[in-house]
């Protein structure tokens, strides 16, 4: 965000040698700070009185110095008396840091991105204000690294009611989104001596990277139309697995009841741990979502949830329900990493949950995603009827199976030429397979109904075999 006048830095670090002429030094220090960008255009300089006091020099000397810099064009003085760095002050030494221009597609069907415009900013800021008014002063210090007792209690009640989870405040840990929850879990597992963790294939590439980062080998296990293949999982010999049962990322398959039972039996037989990414559970369209696996085997399952899809990724708030045997390690790691999630945000989330506003918001965005989902189905039916869509029961992405004869990479590249962002399933495979049937993972969470129609119409000919 740029503005002509930024907020003021009331203090500025200047070094003055009292044995040398003060005014020349002060001018030089300020010029250098402006040239190198340490003082940015629009920034307010300290008042002459304040700077004189801080440096222990006379106010007149500072006023003269500001007048000199004004005459050289480095600073301007506004009617109210503010002295600020002028917009076009010459900077030379510091090269400007400029983001490389990124070519964003005009319409991007990137999966995993929620409707960013739907963040309930007014509700959130009201909740923050409410918390700031009422939070006792002693809670402004460091809290329990596992999270606010209020949020853990409210959340445990919510997860028990809505996800049929077996939840209590004591087993709940608040983390910075799913990603940190996964890191804390994998770290705890590695500490307990585990060397491998099984992951879904195709699946989330990031969890393979995270596993490697804590020294675990990620072993891919195939996913079919029923979800993860539990016999193949058993054959790996791994004693931990990361799964997305509510809406598999990226195939969109919902783990069938038989597979759920088999997975829990596997964990019992292997003394294993299931890491349940409760991905997209909030957004089931055809019926209520199935309960979390964690509710069936709380001592075998770590449940990970997040506000990234329900509110916004920018909040970086998530939760974990931990089996007793991992709880201490997770909590201690959380303390070491960041001493706990931000207290005010935690209380604000607790307030939204407690007042029912969180669920009201979910109902609103669920309707919006349902409209976008319907638009995608309609647009493909109209423009590319030979493309079949799968994995639409929940969430805001689906897998499009392209007709024989079409190449996944070729379609993605040709669409990019028309500024339409498409994403192939190959990017989610443990090992890219150019011979695999062509599939696209179409995210529609952050694409409006009009853009869905426009985007599919723009690439319609690419989705038909010639
Ligand atoms: C498979 C999966 N699970 C969960 C998440 C949410 O992650 P976080 O809560 O860290 O934003 C994502 C984000 O895209 C994801 O791809």
């Amino acid at each position: 965000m740029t503005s002509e006048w930024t907020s003021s830095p009331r203090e500025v670090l200047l070094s003055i040698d009292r044995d040398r002429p003060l005014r020349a030094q002060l001018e030089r220090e300020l010029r250098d700070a402006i040239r190198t960008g340490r003082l940015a255009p629009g920034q307010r300089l300290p008042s002459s009185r304040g700077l004189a006091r801080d440096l222990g020099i006379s106010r007149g000397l500072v006023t003269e110095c500001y007048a000199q810099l004004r005459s050289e064009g480095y600073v301007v003085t506004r009617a109210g008396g503010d002295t600020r760095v002028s917009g076009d002050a010459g900077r030379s030494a510091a090269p400007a840091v400029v983001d490389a221009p990124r070519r964003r597609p005009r319409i991007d069907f990137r999966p995993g991105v929620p409707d960013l415009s739907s963040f309930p900013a007014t509700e959130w800021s009201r909740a923050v204000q409410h918390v700031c008014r009422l939070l006792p002063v002693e809670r402004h210090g460091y809290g329990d690294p596992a999270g606010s007792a209020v949020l853990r209690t409210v959340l445990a009640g919510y997860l028990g009611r809505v996800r049929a989870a077996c939840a209590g405040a004591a087993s709940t840990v608040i983390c910075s989104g799913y990603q940190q929850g996964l890191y804390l879990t994998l770290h705890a597992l590695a500490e307990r001596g585990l060397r491998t963790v099984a992951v879904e294939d195709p699946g989330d590439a990031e969890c393979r990277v995270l596993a490697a980062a804590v020294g675990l080998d990620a072993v891919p296990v195939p996913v079919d139309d029923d979800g993860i293949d539990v016999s193949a999982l058993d054959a790996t010999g791994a004693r931990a697995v990361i799964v997305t049962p509510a809406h598999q990322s990226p195939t969109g398959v919902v783990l069938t009841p038989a597979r759920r039972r088999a997975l829990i039996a596997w964990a019992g037989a292997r003394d294993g741990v299931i890491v349940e990414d409760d991905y997209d559970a909030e957004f089931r369209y055809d019926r209520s979502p199935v309960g979390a696996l964690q509710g069936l085997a709380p001592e075998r399952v770590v449940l990970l949830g997040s506000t990234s899809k329900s509110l916004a990724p920018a909040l970086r708030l998530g939760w974990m329900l931990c089996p007793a045997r991992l709880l201490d390690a997770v909590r201690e790691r959380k303390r070491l990493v960041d001493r706990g999630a931000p207290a005010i945000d935690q209380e604000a989330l607790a307030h939204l949950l407690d007042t029912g506003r969180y669920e009201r918001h979910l109902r609103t965005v669920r309707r919006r995603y349902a409209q976008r989902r319907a638009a995608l189905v309609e647009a493909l039916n109209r423009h590319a009827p030979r493309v079949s869509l799968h994995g639409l029961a929940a969430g805001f992405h689906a897998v499009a199976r392209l007709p024989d004869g079409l190449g996944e990479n070729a379609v993605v590249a040709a669409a990019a030429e028309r500024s339409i962002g498409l994403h192939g399933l190959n990017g989610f495979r443990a090992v890219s397979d150019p011979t695999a049937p062509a599939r696209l993972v179409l995210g529609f969470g952050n694409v409006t109904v009009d853009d869905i129609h426009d985007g599919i119409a723009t690439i319609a000919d690419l989705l038909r075999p010639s």
Side-chain angles (χ1 to χ4, degrees), residues 13 99 116 119-120 148 160 166 203 259 297 310 365 382 421 430 445 458:
L13 187 65
D99 283 345
L116 298 177
F119 175 63
S148 133
C166 180
R259 287 280 172 90
S310 54
V365 282
R382 186 181 318 155
T458 306

Side-chain angles (χ1 to χ4, degrees), residues 112 176-180 204 244 249 277 279 306 308-309 313 316:
S176 294
Y178 157 80
Q179 183 91 345
Q180 190 187 50
D204 174 29
T244 45
S249 168
D277 175 0
Y279 185 71
S306 165
S308 286
K309 302 283 154 60
R316 308 311 307 137

